[in-house]
Amino acid sequence: MDQILQHVINAMVLGSTYALLGIGLTIIFGIMRVVNFAHGELYTLGAYTAYGMVTLINLDFFSSILVAALIGMLIGALIEYVFLRRKDLKNIDEVMLIMIGIMIIMQNLELMIWGGVAKIIPTPFSQDPISMGAIAISPTRVFVFCISAVLLVIFYLGIERTRFGLAIRATFQDQDAARIVGVNVKRIYTVTFALGSAMAAVAGALLAPMFVATPLMGDLASLKAFAIVILGGLGSLGGAALGGFLLAFIEEFGASYISSAYRDAFGFLVIIVVMLFRPQGLFAAKERVG
Amino acid sequence: MNWKLFAIFVAILGLFPFLWSDPYVLSVMGSAGIMIIAAISLNLLLGYTGQLSLGHAAFFGIGAYTSALMSLGFDIDIGFGMSWQVDAKPVWMAFATAILVTAFFGWLVGKLAFKVRGAYFVVITISFAQVMRMISLNWTDLTEGPMGMISIPPLNLWVPGEGLINLTSKAAIYWLVLAVGVIAYLLVAMLVNSRQGRAMIALRENETLATSVGIPVTYFLSMAAIISAAIAGAAGGLYAHTVRIIDPDVFLFIYTVTMVIMVVAGGKGTLGGPIIGGLIFGLMPELLRGVVQPEVQWVIYGITMIIILLFLPRGLVPAIYDFIAWLRSPVAISQRKTGHSLAKEAN
Amino acid sequence: MAISKRYLASLLVGTLAATPVWAADPIKIGVSQPLTGAVAASGNYVTNGARIAAAEINEKGGLLGREVELIIEDNKSNPREAVNAAEKLILSDKVPVIMGAWSSTYTLATMPKLEEYGVPMVVETSSSSKITKAGNPWIFRIAPTSAMEAQAFAKKLDNFDPPIKKVDFLSVNNDWGLGASQEFEKMFKANGIEIGRKETVSPDTVDLSAQLSALKGTGSDTLIMTSGVEQLTLGIRQAADQRLSQRIVTTGGSFPEPLLESPGPKGYTSSHLLFFSPWTPESSVYPDIAGAFVDAWAEAGYSFPGLSEGFRGYDGIMTIAAAIENAGSTEPDAIREALWDVQVKGVNGDISFFKDGPEGKESGQNEPNVYVVQLKDGEVSAQ
């Protein structure tokens, strides 16, 4: 029983960051229909930014996360403005290939700058785990969960309660209709890409201290993000959040009780199974948002 | 397609080992050739039928592993105390089996393409390759996992006067790859120029319209997928029997990306595209080896691909054709003849 | 990377300034290592060790009066690339001897080429028994097999307090990890120690919490971990997170350097089997050689913990140099013959080869020394 509870705690922490990653991709994919292969690279960028801030200029950990988010936003906006504006986004294949090109460039730049050796991000928390009976959790993980939860709530409020959020939701539902009522769709695109990228960057900055930062970590992150989007169903932000937790649970329990070697494969298997049997995702129909 | 040009090109390639017999150069050409064959196969699916299949490394890998397993023989435990044992088969039979098995997976993917469209299809095909990688990594009983399969026997050829010789010399491998490459090219060329081919292109351009005029879209898509996978499987088999060691990394996304860059940069949906793209991106790593770090090379490839996608979206081969056509066009000729542009005159 | 380029520049200047102009062509030695990819850290360390050896040889007048030149090829942590690297070295650069290829998988991939072209290779790291049992007479390994490591560790069992009574295993699921757990299991059983649970992990996994949860509460007092630097670090940290009660002993010669700067919880200790301990050079068989190597490494500006693997490159090149010197020739065949008779004093200890493998086609195998160190609160001491 304790074992199960431990797994639940682990899954909740992991799931909260997966939710951030997944929502980031959902808005990009949902609004712009861009198969964003570079999403994982923004995740990696977030991790390395946090690493750089903490080790190179001795910035405190909390501010580093903020900086990671800002950089993610900037790079995301830059990518959208420079590369995606020119293309009619209806050419899914060309846009997708451009994103692959960006992924290659970002990944190898990271390799050039930081080298291939994995980096550990020092955190201000003690390494002593907090015990509650037979369950143990490190302070770092508690912090990660709290921040993720707070960000998810802020995002929810932003989407539901602000005018801007309204514009985003409107574009999500029906671009042309949104354009008719005066939403500046071009600007929404830029904001969406920036916001989605920022969320990926924050997810990276939060997860990296729990593990390590490597230039190749983005590959897996991109694919897991897609698994989450597919799990949650395309049109649903709440679904993506739940999808993030669900994937974490599947991974955690699958690795413990089925096979630890296939841990990362569960995400892919999920994609294949869901696509075959319930392509609209597990939650909500296409049109619902939030 | 221009048969004369093709014949000349093949002849030059065939004579190449006599002009330049350095075994290292030949081995580089051979490796590039295998990737070109894989690119030709991807072009059929990505370029001609417009299916965004990004798991092509899966077909390559399945071909490689199947051929290796059949030629080495295997003995695995399938539970319930039973085992499945297969003795080592003659190499060409293993190679043929690999093509058939991969074709079967191609058929599966073709079926899937209809249930699942667009971006979702892309994600599924990538996942497929990743799952194959995980399986080959963890089912060590069958595949030896990360340790890889070694000592794979080479392909052989019966030569009059010499008997059966193993194709292990660099020149022999080069010609083998060239032969398979020519067969693959011709297969795709004939398919594309036939009725079936035109149907596939119709499918790519506008599926709904194609269906509405009675083209059995499912049938053609399946055919394209099967043939595409079969050729990729052949490339994988060639790889297994020439490099003679394979490991789960053959399924890595980076190999699919390499094939994609070759096809896209060369020109998807053209016959010459994968060849030009394959020559450029297959030989560049060797030319740049030692000159710039691999990471820098990849940044260059990424930038090249993006530039081509933004400014020459149909690829290099169509751009070259366009350029040649422009050179030949009456406007351009008369501009050169009169020495100034007609546009200036019009103003 | 930047540091090594600087080092190479200073090496060039130093060589030009301090030594006479070389009379004849340089002697080329091929090096095949993973400089990029999953195990790049280790590959770079080994290569840097090799560079130090080459510099030292050249400073002392070179080999047979000629300069030693390392031709370094990146095998990109991939067996196919390892084959490419070997072919380029042999066919294009025409090296008469190679050192490589780090991982057992890459070495095994390279071996058929060595036989095809008749070029000997000194294996500096790979530990799979397959390498010397394959019947390839062109292979000479200075690194220990996992079996040797286990036997060497058997002699150190008494250094552990409380004594080891029951062990669990956590290994990377390749040749190396699985082979190591097999050999160590045999050794433990022979010493009356009970075997608990065995878990495996994929080489690129970063989250080992599933495996570690399964290892909690098994009643064992020790957990044997075999993997590379990254996974050892992650495993130890996550084990501490989950409050695993077992003491951790790592094998394979890699050291979790990141834990030096970001240590685990206070008072938490782990033990590590190394083939060279730069923290305790006085425990080496030849402390002056080890000391000189450590100094040269520091002077070149390489990171300190890299010494635990960098020495392999150094010992490897020194072995090759001794063979070339004894053979008096740079023909691959002559070098191979001479390798059988080398007796080198390396950083790890004595290096010489005995016959290993099928009759008539034996490979050369060395019997190296093993050191055990303890890591606590970011400090290392001998165990």
Side-chain angles (χ1 to χ4, degrees), chain B residues 22-24 27 133 137-138 140 144 146-148 150 168 170 239 243 245 247 249 255 286 289 294-295, chain C residues 36 73-74 76-81 83-85 87-88 91-92 105 109 113 117 130 173-175 202 204:
Chain B
D22 184 325
Y24 185 66
S27 81
R133 176 161 183 266
L137 199 56
N138 290 296
T140 43
E144 301 293 324
M147 304 172 270
I150 56 175
T168 49
K170 296 294 173 221
Y239 178 72
V243 176
I245 169 169
D247 75 313
D249 279 356
Y255 292 114
E286 273 316 312
R289 189 184 205 122
E295 295 93 69
Chain C
T36 57
E73 280 295 323
D74 177 10
K76 305 188 188 159
S77 306
N78 177 282
R80 177 179 75 132
E81 291 293 337
V83 173
N84 280 350
E87 287 202 324
K88 175 163 188 290
L91 295 174
S92 187
T105 312
K113 296 296 164 187
Y117 299 112
K130 283 192 212 173
N173 71 344
N174 59 21
D175 233 333
S202 289
D204 38 18

Side-chain angles (χ1 to χ4, degrees), chain B:
Chain B
M1 59 164 262
N2 194 333
W3 287 99
K4 259 193 294 191
L5 205 59
F6 180 67
I8 296 175
F9 193 56
V10 172
I12 295 178
L13 284 177
L15 291 172
F16 186 77
F18 295 116
L19 304 169
W20 205 339
S21 58
D22 184 325
Y24 185 66
V25 172
L26 289 178
S27 81
V28 170
M29 296 290 288
S31 304
I34 293 180
M35 283 308 274
I36 291 178
I37 297 176
I40 290 176
S41 75
L42 178 63
N43 189 26
L44 185 59
L45 207 51
L46 181 67
Y48 282 104
T49 40
Q51 297 307 312
L52 308 170
S53 165
L54 287 193
H56 226 66
F59 297 135
F60 186 84
I62 291 174
Y65 267 99
T66 308
S67 200
L69 282 168
M70 292 301 288
S71 63
L72 286 172
F74 58 92
D75 180 1
I76 51 171
D77 194 2
I78 46 175
F80 307 118
M82 296 197 294
S83 70
W84 181 26
Q85 191 196 11
V86 172
D87 293 321
K89 301 272 178 275
V91 188
W92 284 104
M93 192 162 130
F95 188 66
T97 314
I99 295 180
L100 289 172
V101 170
T102 318
F104 169 69
F105 278 95
W107 175 74
L108 281 180
V109 169
K111 293 210 68 142
L112 201 60
F114 272 102
K115 281 196 88 166
V116 174
R117 306 321 302 279
Y120 290 116
F121 180 61
V122 175
V123 176
I124 280 211
T125 54
I126 301 178
S127 308
F128 175 52
Q130 290 285 358
V131 170
M132 290 310 301
R133 176 161 183 266
M134 298 257 159
I135 293 178
S136 68
L137 199 56
N138 290 296
W139 197 357
T140 43
D141 224 10
L142 180 67
T143 64
E144 301 293 324
M147 304 172 270
M149 305 199 62
I150 56 175
S151 307
I152 303 175
L155 288 163
N156 44 39
L157 193 66
W158 194 84
V159 171
E162 295 242 355
L164 208 59
I165 54 166
N166 280 334
L167 297 172
T168 49
S169 80
K170 296 294 173 221
I173 291 176
Y174 175 87
W175 277 313
L176 176 65
V177 172
L178 182 61
V180 176
V182 167
I183 295 176
Y185 182 89
L186 289 174
L187 192 59
V188 173
M190 291 195 298
L191 187 64
V192 160
N193 287 322
S194 68
R195 269 190 70 207
Q196 284 87 336
R198 287 193 284 278
M200 285 179 203
I201 295 173
L203 161 62
R204 174 187 78 197
E205 295 301 327
N206 193 326
E207 188 181 322
T208 335
L209 187 59
T211 322
S212 73
V213 298
I215 296 177
V217 161
T218 328
Y219 169 72
F220 286 120
L221 184 57
S222 290
M223 199 160 77
I226 292 174
I227 295 180
S228 168
I231 298 178
L238 268 183
Y239 178 72
H241 294 290
T242 54
V243 176
R244 296 165 61 198
I245 169 169
I246 53 173
D247 75 313
D249 279 356
V250 293
F251 290 108
L252 282 177
F253 188 51
I254 195 69
Y255 292 114
T256 306
V257 169
T258 311
M259 292 177 216
V260 167
I261 292 182
M262 288 177 180
V263 170
V264 167
K268 56 182 161 87
T270 68
L271 285 173
I275 311 222
I276 302 293
L279 280 172
I280 297 178
F281 290 99
L283 298 177
M284 263 218 280
E286 273 316 312
L287 296 172
L288 294 176
R289 189 184 205 122
V291 176
V292 286
Q293 282 177 297
E295 295 93 69
V296 177
Q297 284 177 37
W298 275 101
V299 172
I300 296 175
Y301 301 155
I303 295 179
T304 309
M305 184 162 99
I306 291 182
I307 290 180
I308 291 183
L309 282 165
L310 288 178
F311 301 112
L312 299 170
R314 284 161 52 226
L316 281 172
V317 169
I320 294 175
Y321 275 138
D322 286 347
F323 183 64
I324 296 177
W326 176 81
L327 281 176
R328 286 209 195 127
S329 77
V331 176
I333 292 175
S334 54
Q335 274 182 12
R336 286 199 290 276
K337 280 204 179 128
T338 55
H340 59 81
S341 107
L342 290 174
K344 254 196 232 162
E345 225 184 70
N347 277 336

Side-chain angles (χ1 to χ4, degrees), chain C residues 299-323:
Chain C
E299 222 178 277
Y302 302 138
S303 79
F304 186 76
L307 279 161
S308 54
E309 295 193 65
F311 82 93
R312 304 199 212 244
Y314 181 88
D315 281 355
I317 298 297
M318 286 308 187
T319 307
I320 292 178

Side-chain angles (χ1 to χ4, degrees), chain A residues 144-201:
Chain A
V144 166
F145 180 74
C146 292
I147 297 283
S148 304
V150 165
L151 284 173
L152 285 169
V153 169
I154 292 179
F155 181 79
Y156 173 76
L157 290 175
I159 285 280
E160 290 293 318
R161 302 285 168 86
T162 65
R163 283 198 59 155
F164 211 61
L166 188 59
I168 291 185
R169 274 187 292 142
T171 322
F172 208 69
Q173 270 196 13
D174 190 333
Q175 272 180 35
D176 298 311
R179 205 176 270 127
I180 291 175
V181 299
V183 173
N184 184 342
V185 172
K186 267 213 169 71
R187 203 189 302 160
I188 295 286
Y189 279 177
T190 314
V191 168
T192 301
F193 210 92
L195 192 58
S197 304
M199 294 184 86

